[in-house]
Amino acid sequence: MTGAAPGLRVTWLGHSTVVLDVTTPDGDVRIVTDPLLRRHAGLLRRRGVRPAEVWRGADAVLLSHLHHDHAELGSLRLLGDAPVLTAPANARWLRAKGLPGVALGAGPEHDDRPLVGPVPGRPRGPLPASAGSEHGAWHDVGAHVRVHLTPAVHGHRPMPHRPNAAVGHLVQTDRWTLWAVGDTEAYPGMAHLPALAGGPVDVALVPVAGWGPRLSGGHLGPVEAAHVCATVGVRVAIPVHWGTLHTPGGQNLPRGWMDHAGAAFAAAVHRWAPGTRAVVLRPGESWEG
């Protein structure tokens, strides 16, 4: 669906790390999601080479939660003073580590609350000053790009040493809306995301697998991710959170598991979400709206 998001370039660096390059009337804006920029994430191994440094010069970082495969402190420090937009509990923890965490949302518990009904949206058009809603305020990244948290349900594998808040993000210009879904299971309030956005979700970064052949709760597999796209009415879906990380010695157990999810998601979208176009990238590849 060429033209679904004019002025947007999406580069997938593997796992949940995506570089969004946004062209605006006042210049380019670069946003990085869940940066994993070094060779590995703790005990988890990365397949392939360290990602290219197309993330340099980021204007903002979107952080979904603090699991080590999403919030790797060495990678976050590589991004310098770029504000890290996340849930309040996560932002406080990041600031305690000397990182520029910026809290979005209505309050400390925002991250655990699913949407329970339509949320008044903001119409497309020239971006006004940031305004709030019952689910928090839009945060401006420059004059023409804004970000809003979305709920996520990701309560499995809690960490005793880090907050367990989980969120997604909406990124919006006056011409399109992108949803960085974050790690989550499906929840009924997803149907109201277009109302929160004030219009259709043009592009979604959708997690479709994990770092092992079996998913724990709080994740989407390929079929579940396709149903989410159908529920929300996503126009273009780019699968993430697959084919990158594995446990030591687990890259080929069972054989080929790391390569399955992208194609499986595309097939599921064809069957269950015919209004969505699946764009399956390899690490380092880009899609332009």
Side-chain angles (χ1 to χ4, degrees), residues 6-33:
L8 173 65
R9 180 181 177 90
V10 177
T11 303
W12 184 45
L13 298 186
H15 204 55
S16 288
T17 307
V18 176
V19 177
L20 308 176
D21 286 309
V22 185
T23 301
T24 81
D26 292 336
D28 293 343
V29 172
R30 174 165 289 170
I31 298 173
V32 180
T33 71

Side-chain angles (χ1 to χ4, degrees), residues 16-263:
S16 288
T17 307
V18 176
V19 177
L20 308 176
D21 286 309
V22 185
T23 301
T24 81
D26 292 336
D28 293 343
V29 172
R30 174 165 289 170
I31 298 173
V32 180
T33 71
D34 287 353
L36 178 56
L37 309 176
R38 302 199 300 172
R39 187 69 182 86
H40 302 302
L43 292 177
L44 296 176
R45 308 291 92 182
R46 177 193 286 273
R47 182 172 66 167
V49 300
R50 179 173 172 165
E53 297 187 2
V54 296
W55 44 266
R56 290 199 177 276
D59 297 289
V61 178
L62 311 183
L63 192 67
S64 62
H65 63 298
L66 294 179
H67 280 166
H68 292 274
D69 54 325
H70 295 260
E72 200 276 315
L73 290 177
S75 296
L76 287 165
R77 290 188 173 111
L78 288 174
L79 290 160
D81 60 358
V84 183
L85 312 180
T86 187
N90 297 341
R92 289 193 297 272
W93 186 87
L94 291 168
R95 290 195 297 270
K97 300 294 182 181
L99 290 160
V102 175
L104 305 187
E109 304 306 318
H110 167 79
D111 34 75
D112 295 323
R113 294 185 303 174
L115 292 171
V116 294
V119 178
R122 293 169 62 189
R124 300 287 179 90
L127 303 186
S130 295
S133 76
E134 64 175 291
H135 294 279
W138 290 87
H139 177 91
D140 294 327
V141 182
H144 299 276
V145 182
R146 59 194 177 198
V147 175
H148 197 293
L149 293 189
T150 64
V153 179
H154 189 58
H156 290 68
R157 294 179 175 166
M159 297 174 293
H161 56 294
R162 293 184 177 196
N164 289 291
V167 294
H169 297 78
L170 289 177
V171 180
Q172 190 171 82
T173 71
D174 58 348
R175 304 181 71 184
W176 50 260
T177 296
L178 178 144
W179 179 29
V181 178
D183 279 11
T184 186
E185 61 192 52
Y187 58 87
M190 284 180 171
H192 303 302
L193 281 169
L196 174 60
V201 174
D202 300 293
V203 183
L205 311 177
V206 189
V208 300
W211 45 258
R214 295 184 180 180
L215 280 177
S216 62
H219 291 93
L220 299 172
V223 174
E224 295 86 356
H227 283 296
V228 164
C229 291
T231 297
V232 177
V234 172
R235 293 176 173 175
V236 173
I238 299 173
V240 300
H241 207 275
W242 71 281
T244 309
L245 295 179
H246 59 89
T247 56
Q251 181 173 350
N252 296 308
L253 297 173
R255 185 175 180 180
W257 73 268
M258 294 190 74
D259 296 309
H260 171 70

